[in-house]
């Protein structure tokens, strides 16, 4: 199976969990998955015996500074 087919398969598996997909490079798929869907998304990838996830990153939303 070529890279494009693997990425399409991953996108199909993650589509119920992802808010957005991007393809910043031809061999890469980025999926934006909310924290509450992360474990089910990883479980779906595991159940599909899809392979591996190379990176998981998190972004914290900044909170406003308290008023003085």
């Amino acid at each position: 199976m070529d890279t494009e087919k693997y990425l399409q398969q991953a996108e199909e598996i993650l589509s119920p969990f992802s808010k957005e997909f991007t393809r910043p490079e031809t061999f890469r798929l980025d999926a934006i998955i909310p924290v509450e869907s992360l474990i089910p998304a990883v479980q779906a990838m595991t159940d599909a015996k899809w392979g591996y996830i190379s990176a998981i990153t998190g972004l914290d939303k900044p909170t406003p500074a308290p008023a003085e």
Side-chain angles (χ1 to χ4, degrees):
M1 190 180 288
D2 67 352
T3 301
E4 180 60 30
K5 288 182 183 179
Y6 277 119
L7 295 177
Q8 287 175 350
Q9 183 185 34
E11 194 168 336
E12 289 172 15
I13 294 166
L14 294 174
S15 64
F17 312 103
S18 181
K19 289 183 172 184
E20 175 185 351
F21 293 102
T22 58
R23 298 261 186 116
E25 298 178 61
T26 57
F27 56 87
R28 181 173 136 189
L29 172 69
D30 289 2
I32 307 301
I33 299 173
V35 66
E36 63 272 7
S37 298
L38 183 59
I39 292 174
V42 171
Q43 186 63 55
M45 296 293 281
T46 302
D47 292 347
K49 298 183 182 351
W50 188 80
Y52 67 94
I53 298 171
S54 65
I56 296 177
T57 61
L59 301 173
D60 292 329
K61 293 182 181 179
T63 56
E68 291 185 19

